[in-house]
Amino acid sequence: MDNISSNREPRLVQTGGDSPLLTVQYKGRFLYSKYNPARAICSIIEKTTFLPGTIILACSPCLWYGLDELTGKLPENCTIVAVEYDTFLCNIAKQKRQDVFSASETAFLDTKLRQLASTGLYRRVVRIDFSAGTVLAPDFYTLVTNAAEQIVATFWFNRITLVKMGRLFTKNLFQNLPSLAEGPFLQELKGSVSRPILVCGAGESLDSTPLEQFGSTFVIAVDAAVPSLVKRGIRIDAVVALEGQFVIQKAYIGCERQLKKTILIADIASRPSVLRAFHGRTVWMASRFTEAAYLDSMKEQGIIQNFVQPMGSVGLAAAFCALVLRETSAIPVYITGMDFSYSIGRTHARGTPAQDRILSESTKLSSSGNYGAAFSAAGFFVSDKNGDKMATGKAMKSYADNFAQTFSQIPNMYDIGEYGIPLGLQRLDASKLCRHISSSPQATGMLHDKELPRLLSSGSGSRREKLISYCTAEQQALLEARDLLVNGEASKYRNEKPLDEQLASLLAKREYLYLHFPDGYRFSPSPAFLKRVRAELDYFLKQMQNALSQF
């Protein structure tokens, strides 16, 4: 046993009996049976049911016993992705197959998994431990498995979102194109805020936060929290808007006068009618709501500077904006109202549109509480920061987890909300908060006063010309595609390419035409698919024509 423990590199050992197979001796253990190395993995494969559309995560493949049995059993649209933590074992595995990802290649593994998921062919991940090498780094393999499952699940969750909202996102984006020429992008205001920042979500903890103590701070509010803050007399320096649907307009009703000096940090696909109320005071943020060639084209042409990975929640986006705007990491950022959960009967802070709607609909015969949210089939209960039970949902819980994962290591970021799911930040109670604010750096002005007018007008000029050029080219491409689909070979736009190739070159790079189709994750030349694209062409051609008319 001492001799085995002294082995620093894996050693191939002949098995006992008549078996010609080898086993591996490494770090004080055998990674396969000393008598029948292939039996265990073959038994696992035999007992496992593989459905079409499965990514097989082959963990620690080592000598690849069971590979032939596995490939012979897999149905259509299945693929094998191998990963090995240990460098020595990875080299052994690569002697049979080179496509094994080591621990130092997790970035490439992530890219590979995302590429597979984006094809729309895969719906699940099945992990198979090919050897006992997995016990040498169990946390690593658990992490990789969870990440792979999350990547596949996220793709299909995003697909559902795009089917419901993809058409609206693109419509809003095209309607916002004329306004993109009038304001800076968020990164152009980087480091502009030199005083403490308070980020306000719309959760219940906003009610119990002593906002009056933050008189000299820079206040960033999510859109749904605006009316609640206005009713409390809190000055709002910036509002973050991601929502593209009509319902969000209720958050601004009656707040126009109090928001006259407020800047709007708006996503490129946010509600256009909201943007008009902040004319001349809009700062842009470009969330990459999907992987699409037409978005890449906008960046390549200088219309969009940089994309921000979509965070799903406007609360996360507001926290991200705070970190971009603060001058240095020494500037504290306080978070409240980011509960991602709610008590029974409540979902939002007082004064928010959701809470006001419940109160306005209450009568002597109906309750003023929203109890259905807590006890719906999609809801469940979690323990909050104080150990109390709070209701939440799958999406909100994922936002909370994402918040903790994204911001928990950021210096000088504090959670001052009394309720809600833990955010992974240092908490400050009322007594600590008062002392912390008084000792924080103070400054006057919304941003650096002399720079703000210049920054807010920095989007004009060259970007306007690029936008006009982009819209003109898109309009022409849509006209050509429509004529080709209607007239076929008789189209006046026919060139030397086969008709299918000419159509594909025009349509495959304009995913907005079919992004919202259930099967719209990739372009298809099938007649049924093209008929649906033809129906969308007129709609988006009109959007582009309207955009051009506003320049």
Side-chain angles (χ1 to χ4, degrees):
M1 188 59 159
D2 292 338
N3 184 42
I4 293 177
S5 300
S6 65
N7 293 332
R8 294 186 177 181
E9 295 185 15
R11 190 161 63 95
L12 299 181
V13 179
Q14 183 67 48
T15 57
D18 298 329
S19 174
L21 302 179
L22 300 174
T23 186
V24 178
Q25 181 182 325
Y26 188 41
K27 292 188 176 181
R29 67 185 305 139
F30 286 99
L31 304 188
Y32 296 97
S33 167
K34 292 187 292 183
Y35 305 102
N36 191 341
R39 181 174 58 186
I41 181 61
C42 290
S43 176
I44 292 172
I45 292 171
E46 181 182 357
K47 295 176 182 178
T48 303
T49 300
F50 299 98
L51 299 175
T54 300
I55 296 175
I56 312 299
L57 197 62
C59 296
S60 191
C62 207
L63 296 177
W64 284 105
Y65 293 140
L67 177 62
D68 293 339
E69 289 78 3
L70 176 63
T71 54
K73 187 177 181 181
L74 291 180
E76 62 179 356
N77 295 334
C78 289
T79 191
I80 300 172
V81 177
V83 59
E84 174 58 71
Y85 177 82
D86 188 274
T87 302
F88 293 122
L89 297 180
C90 188
N91 291 335
I92 292 176
K94 285 187 175 183
Q95 293 178 13
K96 183 174 181 66
R97 286 181 58 153
Q98 284 294 314
D99 55 340
V100 181
F101 294 92
S102 65
S104 62
E105 297 173 321
T106 51
F108 299 106
L109 173 61
D110 180 84
T111 300
K112 174 68 173 180
L113 291 170
R114 293 184 187 279
Q115 288 175 345
L116 291 173
S118 66
T119 64
L121 298 176
Y122 305 99
R123 288 170 168 77
R124 63 194 62 83
V125 174
V126 172
R127 168 182 167 175
I128 296 182
D129 293 352
F130 273 69
S131 75
T134 56
V135 302
L136 302 177
D139 293 343
F140 171 78
Y141 291 106
T142 299
L143 180 65
V144 169
T145 303
N146 292 342
E149 291 173 345
Q150 185 64 32
I151 287 171
V152 174
T154 299
F155 170 80
W156 288 108
F157 179 82
N158 291 342
R159 278 305 310 156
I160 294 172
T161 302
L162 288 173
V163 169
K164 294 180 178 179
M165 304 290 294
R167 200 170 189 251
L168 177 64
F169 289 163
T170 306
K171 185 197 77 169
N172 288 348
L173 170 59
F174 287 167
Q175 289 187 0
N176 289 335
L177 288 178
S179 300
L180 280 177
E182 300 174 359
F185 275 85
L186 180 63
Q187 290 297 328
E188 297 176 60
L189 271 66
K190 185 176 182 179
S192 298
V193 177
S194 58
R195 52 196 167 101
I197 301 175
L198 172 65
V199 182
C200 297
E204 292 174 74
S205 59
L206 186 66
D207 293 336
S208 59
T209 302
L211 300 177
E212 294 73 17
Q213 296 183 20
F214 293 87
S216 60
T217 59
F218 186 88
V219 178
I220 300 177
V222 304
D223 40 24
V226 167
S228 180
L229 296 176
V230 167
K231 290 172 184 176
R232 293 177 63 175
I234 305 300
R235 184 202 72 254
I236 303 174
D237 296 301
V239 176
V240 178
L242 299 185
E243 181 61 67
Q245 300 183 83
F246 173 78
V247 66
I248 199 57
Q249 293 186 201
K250 297 179 181 179
Y252 302 93
I253 296 175
C255 301
E256 293 83 359
R257 182 174 60 84
Q258 293 86 347
L259 298 177
K260 283 186 177 180
K261 294 184 179 180
T262 301
I263 64 173
L264 180 73
I265 304 176
D267 186 75
I268 54 175
S270 56
R271 184 78 180 170
S273 56
V274 171
L275 305 178
R276 288 193 284 271
F278 290 82
H279 182 72
R281 292 175 286 122
T282 300
V283 177
W284 296 101
M285 180 172 62
S287 294
R288 191 177 184 88
F289 54 85
T290 186
E291 294 294 326
Y294 82 95
L295 294 177
D296 293 333
S297 176
M298 296 180 76
K299 182 180 178 182
E300 291 168 1
Q301 296 181 45
I303 295 172
I304 295 173
Q305 288 189 346
N306 293 295
F307 283 107
V308 176
Q309 287 301 317
M311 302 179 189
S313 165
V314 65
L316 274 75
F320 170 79
C321 292
L323 298 181
V324 173
L325 290 175
R326 69 175 177 176
E327 191 173 38
T328 68
S329 60
I331 303 294
V333 176
Y334 305 104
I335 306 293
T336 186
M338 305 281 183
D339 301 345
F340 303 110
S341 59
Y342 45 90
S343 57
I344 297 174
R346 293 279 304 277
T347 56
H348 293 76
R350 289 191 297 268
T352 57
Q355 194 65 21
D356 285 349
R357 179 183 60 81
I358 293 173
L359 293 175
S360 67
E361 294 175 353
S362 64
T363 66
K364 292 181 179 180
L365 300 178
S366 64
S367 170
S368 60
N370 183 6
Y371 296 98
F375 296 105
S376 67
F380 55 91
F381 289 89
V382 294
S383 295
D384 77 344
K385 304 164 188 173
N386 307 308
D388 298 327
K389 293 296 182 182
M390 300 282 281
T392 188
K394 185 176 181 180
M396 284 192 293
K397 182 61 168 62
S398 69
Y399 295 152
D401 294 340
N402 193 11
F403 191 105
Q405 181 180 0
T406 304
F407 301 113
S408 61
Q409 301 301 316
I410 302 297
N412 281 321
M413 201 168 187
Y414 305 96
D415 181 6
I416 63 172
E418 184 177 352
Y419 313 111
I421 297 175
L423 300 178
L425 305 179
Q426 180 180 341
R427 294 187 64 192
L428 294 177
D429 58 24
S431 59
K432 292 180 181 179
L433 178 61
C434 184
R435 292 194 299 270
H436 201 276
I437 294 174
S438 62
S439 63
S440 297
Q442 305 293 314
T444 59
M446 187 164 66
L447 299 172
H448 292 319
D449 292 335
K450 295 181 180 179
E451 296 184 12
L452 182 58
R454 177 184 61 80
L455 290 170
L456 290 179
S457 62
S458 63
S460 57
S462 61
R463 195 188 303 158
R464 176 184 175 86
E465 298 304 318
K466 293 174 182 177
L467 282 161
I468 294 175
S469 176
Y470 171 80
C471 291
T472 302
E474 283 299 298
Q475 180 187 40
Q476 181 59 34
L478 294 176
L479 286 170
E480 291 180 15
R482 183 174 68 177
D483 196 75
L484 287 167
L485 285 172
V486 172
N487 298 312
E489 295 292 348
S491 171
K492 60 182 178 181
Y493 297 109
R494 281 289 290 121
N495 58 27
E496 67 281 358
K497 294 182 180 179
L499 180 59
D500 288 349
E501 290 185 17
Q502 188 178 355
L503 279 170
S505 66
L506 280 171
L507 300 177
K509 297 179 180 179
R510 292 171 174 83
E511 297 94 336
Y512 55 82
L513 290 167
Y514 49 85
L515 203 61
H516 49 287
F517 294 173
D519 55 346
Y521 44 83
R522 61 174 177 235
F523 173 75
S524 170
S526 69
F529 191 90
L530 293 177
K531 286 179 180 179
R532 286 178 284 159
V533 170
R534 168 66 189 91
E536 295 297 312
L537 274 166
D538 289 335
Y539 176 81
F540 284 105
L541 185 58
K542 182 179 179 180
Q543 300 301 323
M544 200 58 64
Q545 291 170 340
N546 289 340
L548 278 170
S549 68
Q550 296 179 46
F551 283 105

